Amino acid sequence: MSFLPLHFTVSGYDFTCAGEASSKVKNKLKQLGYDSEAIRRAAIAMYEGEINMVIHGGGGEIFVEVYPDHIDIKMADKGPGIENIEQAMQEGYSTAPANVRALGFGAGMGLPNIKKYTDSLRIESEIGKGTTIYMTVQVNHS
Amino acid sequence: MTVRQLKEQLELTVLVEQNIDKEITGCYIGDLLSWVMSRVQTGNVWLTVMGNVNAIAVAALSDAACIILTDSAVLDEDAKEKAQEQGVTVFSSNANSYQVAVQLSRLLSE
Ligand SMILES: Nc1ncnc2c1ncn2[C@@H]1O[C@H](COP(=O)(O)OP(=O)(O)OP(=O)(O)O)[C@@H](O)[C@H]1O
Ligand SMILES: [Mg+2]
């Protein structure tokens, strides 16, 4: 099946740029006429991943593949990794530092949101090597 | 009710005006950004004290109708630019979130 590939580099610790990749993908999907609810889900999930890459992962790369009936998003960083993924997935669990909390992050809701807004989510992480998140958003055509 | 009508009927200071013909579907109040992304719905008026670039990104990505910064919370200069760029309307009010929400609720049920 043919798809549109998009690639982004996310710099670490730069909160002002975080969200640019998600917003570009959102605009692209709008242009392509995708269902607005699917766009919204993909955009929020991707933004949560982007922010996590900036705050916890020290930046990384995002690969998006846009298919007619679904959107695949892969987000890879070479940060510290996640020791206990099950714990990280719990609502309210956060190791975000105080400076980041002051900006409104650190509710421990990012990963649960990604799960909520995507149709599949897989996290691969190795301590000291990094974290890669794979997510898929299905698009319903009416 | 649209954002334009909201602007006409509530005492709000306009900080950034963009796409004000958006239809308002309801309201959400919160300052923790991931919490907001979990709960806010398309077309909601979002009441918050977070006037930073990240709040603008959240409003844009989650299709909120507009932001009202309550308790006269400040909109950062870079956030103002981002709001213009992303098409997000931002108001400010010296009332608190509860007071604004009560007024909004009256308007929405008229
Ligand atoms: N890419 C990552 N690299 C390393 N650790 C991560 C990464 N993503 C998440 N984590 C860990 O998982 C925890 C939970 O992440 P989650 O996104 O749910 O919450 P948060 O980022 O702390 O706060 P919020 O997303 O609500 O602003 C983080 O606090 C962090 O410890
Ligand atoms: Mg997070």
Side-chain angles (χ1 to χ4, degrees):
Chain A
M1 192 166 32
S2 71
F3 65 89
L4 172 72
L6 300 165
H7 174 244
F8 304 92
T9 304
V10 178
S11 79
Y13 312 104
D14 184 356
F15 292 96
T16 44
C17 288
E20 267 174 26
S22 324
S23 134
K24 278 181 190 152
V25 169
K26 184 173 184 182
N27 289 339
K28 190 80 212 168
L29 294 172
K30 256 194 203 162
Q31 269 173 31
L32 293 169
Y34 279 72
D35 168 65
S36 64
E37 206 39 48
I39 297 177
R40 185 172 182 273
R41 291 194 291 125
I44 293 176
M46 192 172 155
Y47 183 60
E48 290 284 15
E50 221 182 316
I51 287 292
N52 279 355
M53 278 177 130
V54 176
I55 296 177
H56 312 291
E61 287 189 276
I62 307 177
F63 302 87
V64 182
E65 294 181 357
V66 180
Y67 293 88
D69 64 344
H70 71 279
I71 302 145
D72 281 340
I73 302 167
K74 174 184 164 187
M75 315 187 90
D77 68 57
K78 293 191 167 57
I82 302 174
E83 199 172 305
N84 184 337
I85 294 176
E86 205 182 312
Q87 183 183 41
M89 286 301 301
Q90 279 170 15
E91 290 192 4
Y93 178 80
S94 173
T95 61
N99 64 322
V100 168
R101 287 178 190 260
L103 297 171
F105 297 108
M109 290 290 285
L111 291 174
N113 274 351
I114 294 177
K115 180 145 188 69
K116 172 177 174 179
Y117 287 120
T118 58
D119 295 287
S120 83
L121 167 65
R122 185 161 56 92
I123 302 175
E124 283 172 4
S125 192
E126 206 178 319
I127 294 300
K129 292 232 164 115
T131 302
T132 303
I133 299 186
Y134 301 87
M135 50 181 120
T136 300
V137 172
Q138 297 290 343
V139 182
N140 299 320
H141 292 284
S142 42
Chain B
M1 185 171 70
T2 63
V3 176
R4 182 187 301 277
Q5 290 164 316
L6 177 80
K7 174 190 152 191
E8 286 159 2
Q9 298 187 45
L10 288 189
E11 262 178 55
L12 300 169
T13 307
V14 181
L15 302 179
V16 178
E17 187 172 318
Q18 296 274 332
N19 304 323
I20 60 167
D21 291 312
K22 275 190 190 161
E23 194 63 32
I24 294 171
T25 57
C27 172
Y28 189 78
I29 306 175
D31 303 315
L32 292 174
L33 301 180
S34 290
W35 202 275
V36 174
M37 283 188 274
S38 167
R39 300 283 195 271
V40 73
Q41 306 200 342
T42 302
N44 279 185
V45 173
W46 175 25
L47 309 188
T48 184
V49 294
M50 281 291 168
N52 60 27
V53 281
N54 308 105
I56 303 301
V58 167
L61 295 168
S62 60
D63 297 325
C66 64
I67 295 176
I68 301 179
L69 292 172
T70 53
D71 287 321
S72 306
V74 173
L75 180 65
D76 297 345
E77 204 46 49
D78 55 350
K80 186 172 183 173
E81 266 169 46
K82 192 166 181 115
Q84 276 151 356
E85 188 186 297
Q86 302 260 324
V88 177
T89 294
V90 185
F91 300 110
S92 147
S93 167
N94 48 26
N96 67 32
S97 292
Y98 170 70
Q99 293 163 329
V100 175
V102 168
Q103 292 171 1
L104 181 61
S105 163
R106 284 204 194 105
L107 290 176
L108 286 172
S109 57
E110 265 170 16

